[in-house]
Amino acid sequence: MKTENNLKKQQTSPTRKTMYKNFPMVPKVIFGSGSFSQLGDVLLPMRKSSEAPFIFLVDDFFENGEFLSTLPLMFNDEVIFISADEEPKTAQVDALVLQIRQKYDEIPSGIIGIGGGTLLDLAKAVSILLNNKGLAKDYQGWDLVNHPALYHVGIPTISGTGAEVSRTTVLLGPEKKLGINSDFTTFDQVLLDPDFTKTVPKEQWFYTGMDCFIHCVESLTGTYLNAFSQSYGEKAMELCMEVYLNDLAPEESRDKLMMASWHGGMSIAYSQVGVAHAMSYGLSYLLGIRHGIGNCLVFQHLEEFYPEGVRLFNKMMDKHNIVLPKGICADLSQKDFDVMVNVSMGLEPLWENALGKDWKKIMTPERLQALYQKI
Ligand code: ZN
C-alpha cells in the first residue's frame, strides 16, 4: 500500500499516558470469487435519488463493452475511465471534482473506484473533495479533513497495495508526495472479488504483491510494532510466502493474495512502513516511478536493514524470473539527488519506525544518496 498512516498521536507526553490511535476500519466488505455481481444490490439502498448518480472511476484497462455490461448502471450514473499509468495527482483529483460538480445539480450518491491503488486512491480523494472546500493539496497531511467524505466504495482489481483498507490516499502534489490521512478517507464498502486479478500481467502481479510483502517486512521489524500489527503482519507474510514460493492452484493463489493485501494493510494501519517506502516515495516523486516497482528497486539494496526480508525477496525474484531494470539513477544530477533525499527524509514517522528515535544519526543525507546511487 501506498501509506503513511502515522502514529503521531501515539506519543507520550509528560502529563498524559500514551495516546492510542482510534482508527477507522472498513465497515462493510464482501469477499469471494464472482462477488462483483452483487454490486447492484449493494448500491441500490445507497441511491439518494434518480438525479444523484453513482460515479464509477474505472481503470482504463477495462475500457471495453464487455466490462461495461457488467456494471450495475441506473439513471444518470456515469463511468469515467482513467489511466493508471501514472501515480495519482492532486490536480487530477481537483479536475475530476470540478467535472462532477459542473455536470450534476445534485451531489452524487457516491463514488465507486475500480482498479489498482491509483484508482482506489483517486476514488477516496474525489469523495473527500466533493464534500470539502478547497483543493486536494490542502488536505495532504494528517487529519486535515473537516467533513465526512461522500459514500465511497473500493473494488481492487490487483492485490497488494492495501489501499482497500487504509485511511490514506497517497497523491503526488505540487510540492510533495503525501497522503490525505484522515478518518474519512477509509472506504464505506469494499468488494473483494479475486476474479478481477485473473488478467493482471505477471510483472505487475509480482511488483504489486511485493508491495504487500514489503509492508509486512517493514511493519514486523519496525519499532512501532505491537500485537495488533504483528497479528495481521504475520498472517499477511505467511500468505505472501505461500503465493510466491509455493505452487498453489491459480484460484487459491488469487484468493490468498487478496487476503494478504488486506492483512498487510491492516498491519501497517496500526504501525508504519519503513526504509523502502521512504526511499520509494522520493524515487516516484522525482521520476514518476510506480509504487510497486519503485519499492522493489529500492528493497533489493536494503539487506543491511532487512537481511531476512531481502533474502526472501531474492528467492521470490528467482522463482518467478523477475529481472529489475538497472541504472535508474545513473544519470541524475546532484540537484536530483537532493530532491529525492529531501522528499524521503521528510517522511519522519517512516524513518522513526524503521530506525528508532535517533534515526537521523543513522540515516544521513550522504548515506541515503549512496543508497539511491545503487539503483
Ligand atoms: Zn506500499
Side-chain angles (χ1 to χ4, degrees):
M1 153 161 70
K2 311 148 151 211
T3 185
E4 68 265 357
N5 296 291
N6 77 326
L7 286 198
K8 267 190 180 159
K9 303 256 172 78
Q10 201 169 317
Q11 294 167 344
T12 31
S13 74
T15 48
R16 286 191 85 169
K17 286 195 291 184
T18 300
M19 286 293 289
Y20 292 104
K21 191 168 69 168
N22 184 9
F23 95 98
M25 294 170 78
V26 174
K28 291 190 127 181
V29 56
I30 299 182
F31 170 80
S33 161
S35 59
F36 185 66
S37 64
Q38 287 174 234
L39 181 61
D41 298 339
V42 170
L43 297 184
L44 196 58
M46 305 310 295
R47 286 187 184 276
K48 290 190 271 197
S49 81
S50 57
E51 302 304 309
F54 273 113
I55 311 287
F56 294 76
L57 306 181
V58 184
D59 189 319
D60 66 5
F61 176 84
F62 296 100
E63 193 166 4
N64 58 59
E66 201 189 332
F67 174 75
L68 268 177
S69 70
T70 66
L71 286 176
L73 302 175
M74 289 175 78
F75 309 121
N76 56 350
D77 286 355
E78 182 173 356
V79 184
I80 303 175
F81 288 105
I82 296 171
S83 163
D85 289 346
E86 290 180 14
E87 300 264 289
K89 298 180 179 58
T90 53
Q92 194 181 5
V93 172
D94 297 330
L96 282 163
V97 169
L98 187 67
Q99 181 186 336
I100 294 167
R101 280 206 180 117
Q102 285 179 342
K103 186 160 178 185
Y104 300 99
D105 296 334
E106 273 191 44
I107 282 262
S109 293
I111 304 292
I112 323 294
I114 304 178
T118 296
L119 267 294
L120 297 185
D121 278 359
L122 281 174
K124 290 177 182 179
V126 167
S127 68
I128 288 172
L129 267 294
L130 278 170
N131 269 1
N132 286 272
K133 289 197 176 80
L135 299 171
K137 70 176 171 65
D138 304 337
Y139 297 100
Q140 281 181 291
W142 281 278
D143 301 306
L144 302 172
V145 180
N146 301 312
H147 304 287
L150 202 63
Y151 175 75
H152 53 304
V153 179
I155 305 178
T157 60
I158 184 168
S159 299
T161 70
E164 65 277 17
V165 286
S166 75
R167 78 188 275 284
T168 190
T169 156
V170 184
L171 301 172
L172 216 51
E175 282 142 37
K176 55 200 166 193
K177 177 176 176 180
L178 186 61
I180 300 178
N181 295 264
S182 85
D183 285 353
F184 304 126
T185 307
T186 317
F187 283 114
D188 298 296
Q189 168 82 56
V190 167
L191 190 151
L192 301 174
D193 185 343
D195 286 0
F196 270 117
T197 64
K198 276 181 186 172
T199 47
V200 174
K202 183 181 142 190
E203 261 78 24
Q204 240 182 311
W205 165 80
F206 187 83
Y207 298 144
T208 310
M210 286 304 104
D211 188 20
C212 176
F213 172 74
I214 294 168
H215 292 157
C216 298
V217 173
E218 293 184 319
S219 170
L220 291 170
T221 60
T223 61
Y224 289 177
L225 188 65
N226 51 67
F228 186 106
S229 292
Q230 189 176 2
S231 63
Y232 285 106
E234 283 175 353
K235 189 68 204 177
M237 176 69 92
E238 181 191 314
L239 291 166
C240 284
M241 309 258 274
E242 278 190 69
V243 169
Y244 288 99
L245 291 174
N246 294 355
D247 296 293
L248 302 180
E251 191 182 343
E252 187 181 5
S253 176
R254 288 194 294 270
D255 285 5
K256 287 192 165 167
L257 192 56
M258 198 155 248
M259 288 321 297
S261 177
W262 182 272
H263 282 77
M266 288 296 294
S267 179
I268 43 176
Y270 223 76
S271 65
Q272 187 47 275
V273 285
V275 180
H277 275 73
M279 287 187 65
S280 151
Y281 275 30
L283 208 58
S284 71
Y285 180 81
L286 183 76
L287 302 171
I289 292 176
R290 305 292 322 276
H291 183 68
I293 187 170
N295 281 348
C296 292
L297 286 167
V298 171
F299 195 71
Q300 62 179 333
H301 299 299
L302 299 183
E303 54 280 290
E304 55 195 307
F305 304 101
Y306 305 115
E308 179 61 10
V310 174
R311 189 186 68 79
L312 286 168
F313 175 77
N314 287 331
K315 220 172 143 181
M316 296 176 188
M317 290 258 292
D318 281 349
K319 182 166 168 71
H320 297 286
N321 301 313
I322 301 291
V323 180
L324 289 167
K326 287 196 169 67
I328 303 286
C329 295
D331 300 323
L332 298 184
S333 67
Q334 186 53 46
K335 212 177 137 204
D336 291 335
F337 281 113
D338 290 345
V339 168
M340 283 201 297
V341 166
N342 273 331
V343 168
S344 178
M345 296 204 84
L347 298 162
E348 297 207 12
L350 285 67
W351 291 107
E352 189 181 296
N353 175 46
L355 306 173
K357 285 217 180 318
D358 288 331
W359 65 270
K360 282 184 180 154
K361 289 184 190 145
I362 304 168
M363 185 51 72
T364 59
E366 296 73 32
R367 190 176 180 190
L368 186 51
Q369 177 166 336
L371 281 169
Y372 275 126
Q373 280 165 329
K374 289 185 183 178
I375 298 170

